[in-house]
Amino acid sequence: MATGQLFSKTTQALFYNYKQLPIQRMLDFDFLCGRETPSVAGIINPGSEGFQKLFFGQEEIAIPVHSTVEAACAAHPTADVFINFASFRSAAASSMSALKQPTIRVVAIIAEGVPESDTKQLIGFAKANNKVVIGPATVGGIQAGAFKIGDTAGTIDNIIQCKLYRPGSVGFVSKSGGMSNELYNTIARVTDGVYEGIAIGGDVFPGSTLSDHVLRFNNIPQVKMIVVLGELGGRDEYSLVEALKQGKINKPVVAWVSGTCATLFKSEVQFGHAGAKSGGEMESAQAKNQALRDAGATVPTSYEAFEGAIKEAFEKLVSEGKTTPVKEITPPQIPEDLNTAIKSGKVRAPTHIISTISDDRGEEPCYAGVPMSSIVEQGLGVGDVISLLWFKRSLPRYCTRFIEICTLLCADHGPCVSGAHNTIVTARAGKDLVSCLVSGLLTIGPRFGGAVDDAARYFKDAYDRGLTPYEFVESMKKKGIRVPGIGHRIKRGDNRDKRVELLQLYARENFPSVKYMEYAVQVETYTLSKANNLVLNVDGAIGSLFLDLLAGSGMFTKPEIDDIVEIGYLNGLFVLARSIGLIGHTFDQKRLKQPLYRHPWEDVLYTK
């Protein structure tokens, strides 16, 4: 066991098993104490590497993350404390790995219930190699104004109240981590505060004992008196009794062993910790308190009198001139986290993104306010989800069914269209699914798929202005603009597009009004008189019928309809639908294991 001070203002630690809150509390304590460097040098998270962002005062810092103990120790040779937040199942193995590293001097094991056989091996190795184990079942320890382990001493408010941001004159050691916080507060009230505090842990076999740390405190010049809080169970306190009897401790010791109420119970009782269980008269709190008293320690008659005994011992040191109370200082203000400040109403911060269509903050995600479970339970389909996410309302079933029909009819149009061709070439180049899909989608525009929006815009404008088909077509001709939604490379007046016929049939049977579609049909009648291939194509059918859906449903105002058409909602249908086919072509090529595509020479006109 080390003979002097364990920590200093330059001590750095490696933190095993990333936990954001205890690490941030360590860094906040560093800032409070005026440390120049963070006390956490690195984080060990098995299987992970990179960095974790945390705050050092107001500055955001990146702490390296390592996947193994060995890598972390190699990267941070000055870090000599290992703080282990692993579960009780893996704490022993990871602690032993740390103890075997030449750079590690102190290991703190937070987990409770580490197998006793494993703990004994750790203790044996640590003693043989002059290293220190704090725990298992510990919150750790603290050197006031210098370094603290994990959650030791609790919140920043509690640390400030206990004056732990600067060193005092009292060395404190306890079995209980929870009671440590209470005693830090007590000591701060009646003395100039703690210099170093250690919670050795509540398991049956702690890695270091009460007497180990009391003997250390006796060798630290800044420690003027020692406070010990034991508990019933075990015989650790008797090693302290022997040290006192042998004169190894020459500083005042004020001690109390809790658990005196155990005698009130007829049967044996365990008090919280695995080790807090009396196994006989010698392990009782009364016996240990009396032994400490007989050995020369100041032991009060009850826990309630503990504070008074500590106060009296400190005041005696001051009156005898053996110590001068530490002067009080004002610690810096710890910046408050934005989220905490917002919740407490202290600040208001602008948001960076607005979302009105979905929310995943509750128990389940919602689409436009409709819970996911409700969507499934009601048997809603893709069209219903589109109506919620695109239009922010539940459209009637005939509308959502129309959306689904459009998706079905536009899912694919063979391997030769530009989008499918691009996707196939990309898939054969060995690219991933997303790359293949995007390469096909990028071809969607005015010449491939993009006519849906333009068809809706022009048909709506012409109908709303009362133009006759003749006036509409001829005005477009004068402007040099082809009528969007009219014309097909293959289909003719005597060989109509089956998709257009299906859409028109559905709309006539289900829509309240099809005025825009009928107008588009009248335009088709006029254009067919000019050329047999100037038929109403699927883009024109979808564009005009979507206008009828929006206007006939009665759920959209005229400005809302104008907005929907202008923003490009309708082209979104084509993008959505065609994605299905493009994904299919990607899988098809990969399934067939097609080689890299190279366009044939004979299909290229080479010119000079």
Side-chain angles (χ1 to χ4, degrees):
M1 178 72 188
T3 57
Q5 196 162 296
L6 290 183
F7 314 118
S8 71
K9 211 163 185 173
T10 59
T11 296
Q12 285 197 303
L14 297 175
F15 197 102
Y16 188 91
N17 198 14
Y18 177 69
K19 305 284 182 186
Q20 190 269 337
L21 186 56
I23 296 178
Q24 187 58 65
R25 282 180 171 173
M26 288 179 66
L27 297 175
D28 286 345
F29 179 75
D30 297 343
F31 179 76
L32 196 71
C33 299
R35 282 185 57 128
E36 294 183 1
T37 54
S39 60
V40 181
I43 297 166
I44 303 163
N45 221 25
S48 300
E49 290 185 346
F51 294 88
Q52 280 290 348
K53 292 196 303 179
L54 293 128
F55 283 99
F56 185 62
Q58 212 159 11
E59 178 188 359
E60 198 168 23
I61 60 173
I63 296 182
V65 177
H66 306 276
S67 60
T68 66
V69 173
E70 293 75 13
C73 290
H76 310 284
T78 59
D80 59 1
V81 177
F82 184 84
I83 302 172
N84 196 343
F85 266 75
S87 71
F88 71 91
R89 297 178 186 86
S90 59
S94 47
S95 296
M96 184 60 81
S97 294
L99 286 170
K100 288 180 178 179
Q101 301 304 309
T103 55
I104 298 299
R105 190 172 47 88
V106 179
V107 172
I109 306 171
I110 310 302
E112 183 176 358
V114 176
E116 293 176 5
S117 59
D118 292 340
T119 304
K120 288 178 179 178
Q121 287 183 1
L122 292 172
I123 295 170
F125 186 90
K127 285 184 176 179
N129 291 274
N130 197 32
K131 299 192 177 189
V132 179
V133 174
I134 303 172
T138 180
V139 296
I142 186 168
Q143 184 176 325
F147 176 83
K148 90 179 186 85
I149 293 171
D151 288 319
T152 301
T155 65
I156 287 296
D157 288 342
N158 191 66
I159 287 170
I160 292 174
Q161 191 172 3
C162 297
K163 301 177 183 177
L164 293 166
Y165 48 82
R166 50 75 174 155
S169 304
V170 180
F172 169 68
V173 61
S174 165
K175 282 188 176 179
S176 168
M179 286 302 295
S180 293
N181 283 355
E182 178 65 30
L183 263 295
Y184 289 144
N185 198 293
T186 298
I187 292 169
R189 282 199 305 268
V190 297
T191 73
D192 63 356
V194 166
Y195 183 81
E196 184 183 320
I198 297 289
I200 65 170
D203 276 4
V204 176
F205 296 103
S208 52
T209 65
L210 295 173
S211 57
D212 287 337
H213 295 287
V214 171
L215 289 168
R216 273 199 315 104
F217 295 157
N218 195 65
N219 294 329
I220 299 174
Q222 296 93 328
V223 174
K224 305 301 181 182
M225 64 175 284
I226 301 164
V227 175
V228 180
L229 180 64
E231 61 187 20
L232 83 164
R235 302 198 176 191
D236 183 16
E237 288 81 359
Y238 288 105
S239 61
L240 177 55
V241 168
E242 288 305 309
L244 285 164
K245 285 181 177 180
Q246 293 170 17
K248 293 181 179 179
I249 302 164
N250 54 29
K251 296 178 180 179
V253 175
V254 183
W256 176 252
V257 179
S258 61
T260 54
C261 66
T263 56
L264 300 175
F265 297 93
K266 293 180 180 180
S267 59
E268 189 175 73
V269 177
Q270 180 173 318
F271 290 81
H273 297 147
K277 182 177 180 180
S278 180
E281 177 58 32
M282 281 193 70
E283 295 186 14
S284 70
Q286 283 87 346
K288 291 197 277 189
N289 276 324
Q290 188 58 50
L292 286 165
R293 190 178 291 117
D294 293 342
T298 299
V299 181
T301 55
S302 66
Y303 179 78
E304 288 72 17
F306 199 20
E307 180 174 333
I310 297 170
K311 180 180 181 182
E312 185 178 339
F314 182 74
E315 289 178 347
K316 185 180 179 183
L317 285 172
V318 174
S319 65
E320 292 175 349
K322 293 180 179 178
T323 187
T324 301
V326 174
K327 291 182 179 180
E328 192 50 74
I329 62 172
T330 301
Q333 182 72 37
I334 298 290
E336 193 168 4
D337 287 343
L338 180 60
N339 289 338
T340 305
I342 292 172
K343 287 179 181 178
S344 65
K346 293 181 180 177
V347 299
R348 55 189 181 194
T351 55
H352 297 93
I353 293 176
I354 300 174
S355 175
T356 64
I357 62 170
S358 62
D359 190 341
D360 64 347
R361 294 172 299 174
E363 292 183 3
E364 60 177 312
C366 292
Y367 293 163
V370 180
M372 196 77 74
S373 58
S374 178
I375 292 172
V376 175
E377 289 163 3
Q378 294 178 44
L380 302 182
V382 173
D384 298 283
V385 171
I386 291 172
S387 80
L388 291 170
L389 291 178
W390 291 15
F391 302 104
K392 298 201 303 179
R393 64 203 77 189
S394 294
L395 295 175
R397 182 56 189 153
Y398 77 86
C399 295
T400 60
R401 178 59 183 153
F402 176 76
I403 293 173
E404 290 169 357
I405 292 172
C406 291
T407 306
L408 294 172
L409 296 179
C410 295
D412 194 50
H413 198 189
C416 296
V417 296
S418 59
H421 179 81
N422 268 25
T423 294
I424 290 169
V425 171
T426 308
R428 290 176 61 166
K431 299 289 284 185
D432 61 278
L433 172 62
V434 175
S435 299
C436 298
L437 173 61
V438 169
S439 70
L441 290 177
L442 287 174
T443 63
I444 294 176
R447 298 179 182 177
F448 172 56
V452 181
D453 280 317
D454 285 340
R457 291 189 187 106
Y458 283 111
F459 283 140
K460 185 176 186 300
D461 177 70
Y463 179 88
D464 290 350
R465 289 197 292 134
L467 297 180
T468 64
Y470 168 80
E471 291 170 331
F472 171 49
V473 174
E474 294 304 321
S475 66
M476 293 287 282
K477 185 178 179 181
K478 286 180 181 178
K479 296 174 186 176
I481 303 172
R482 294 180 178 179
V483 179
I486 294 290
H488 203 283
R489 288 186 62 193
I490 301 171
K491 299 300 178 182
R492 299 288 186 271
D494 54 356
N495 178 26
R496 303 296 181 95
D497 190 331
K498 188 66 176 176
R499 296 176 297 175
V500 173
E501 293 178 344
L502 289 169
L503 290 169
Q504 291 174 331
L505 177 62
Y506 179 84
R508 287 194 173 102
E509 291 178 349
N510 294 280
F511 282 23
S513 167
V514 288
K515 61 182 183 181
Y516 288 106
M517 185 198 77
E518 295 296 2
Y519 182 74
V521 170
Q522 293 171 23
V523 170
E524 178 193 47
T525 301
Y526 178 73
T527 55
L528 281 174
S529 67
K530 292 178 167 291
N532 199 30
N533 70 322
L534 296 180
V535 294
L536 182 67
N537 58 37
V538 71
D539 291 346
I542 292 175
S544 59
L545 283 171
F546 230 100
L547 293 173
D548 286 325
L549 181 151
L550 297 170
S553 68
M555 300 184 71
F556 301 90
T557 64
K558 185 179 183 303
E560 283 179 325
I561 295 173
D562 291 339
D563 241 8
I564 288 169
V565 173
E566 186 60 34
I567 289 172
Y569 275 55
L570 310 188
N571 199 34
L573 266 183
F574 184 83
V575 172
L576 175 67
R578 196 48 62 96
S579 292
I580 299 171
L582 298 180
I583 291 171
H585 284 296
T586 301
F587 293 155
D588 190 40
Q589 295 302 307
K590 290 183 177 293
R591 183 174 55 247
L592 295 171
K593 296 180 172 57
Q594 290 297 286
L596 180 69
Y597 174 84
R598 180 177 176 83
H599 203 73
W601 287 338
E602 58 269 24
D603 195 37
V604 177
L605 175 61
Y606 293 94
T607 61
K608 293 183 179 178

